[in-house]
Amino acid sequence: ELTTRDWFSRIWTVQESILPKNLVVLCRSHELAWTFLADAAKCVQKHLTLPCYMSHNATTNEYMEDVNKFLRAISTIERSKKIDSQISEILTCLHLYRNRQASQAHDKIFGLRNLVDLNGPSLIKERV
């Protein structure tokens, strides 16, 4: 249920999840260190490749859709944390997060601008 919340699909949460050194997830009265969720996702992912899992044909398990949503949500943010230092151009950043939601189209740019080098290449050629 946690990873189906809007927080995991909104554009503003990209910088909220990448910029802090110690991310904490709050959901109602619960508080979890992000590292707890990331470690849980790694353990689940590892288990999915083990022979015991494969032998039970667990892909037909009714909970696998939820498990996969959880893994995708966590891994998206984990990948973002790793590539943060590589993102320097706004177009690259917009492409990476094009599926994130925003109330207004221009918020997609504002939601990502703290992640990019604004002194990088110009997006618009100046008229001479």
Side-chain angles (χ1 to χ4, degrees):
E1 191 178 306
L2 175 69
T3 56
T4 61
R5 294 183 173 274
D6 286 345
W7 190 88
F8 285 92
S9 65
R10 305 295 295 167
I11 194 69
W12 291 101
T13 60
V14 172
Q15 66 178 337
E16 288 177 3
S17 61
I18 292 175
L19 296 177
K21 289 182 182 180
N22 298 310
L23 180 61
V24 175
V25 178
L26 303 173
C27 184
R28 296 185 183 165
S29 63
H30 304 288
E31 182 176 318
L32 291 170
W34 178 259
T35 54
F36 177 82
L37 291 173
D39 289 345
K42 287 176 195 172
C43 287
V44 169
Q45 189 66 44
K46 184 177 179 179
H47 178 73
L48 293 177
T49 62
L50 295 175
C52 64
Y53 174 80
M54 304 283 197
S55 67
H56 293 340
N57 192 16
T59 55
T60 58
N61 185 318
E62 62 184 282
Y63 300 108
M64 278 312 297
E65 185 177 342
D66 292 335
V67 169
N68 285 325
K69 284 179 185 176
F70 169 77
L71 292 174
R72 274 193 305 275
I74 303 301
S75 65
T76 298
I77 293 172
E78 282 298 289
R79 276 194 314 273
S80 298
K81 290 169 104 31
K82 290 178 183 162
I83 63 172
D84 177 37
S85 62
Q86 299 170 9
I87 298 174
S88 61
E89 297 179 12
I90 189 70
L91 289 178
T92 302
C93 202
L94 286 168
H95 178 73
L96 286 171
Y97 302 108
R98 66 189 176 278
N99 294 324
R100 291 288 181 135
Q101 304 299 312
S103 299
Q104 303 288 324
H106 64 267
D107 282 344
K108 287 197 172 196
I109 294 173
F110 290 117
L112 299 172
R113 74 179 291 205
N114 287 330
L115 301 177
V116 299
D117 179 4
L118 294 178
N119 295 318
S122 176
L123 299 178
I124 303 170
K125 292 184 179 183
E126 293 183 28
R127 293 183 186 181
V128 180

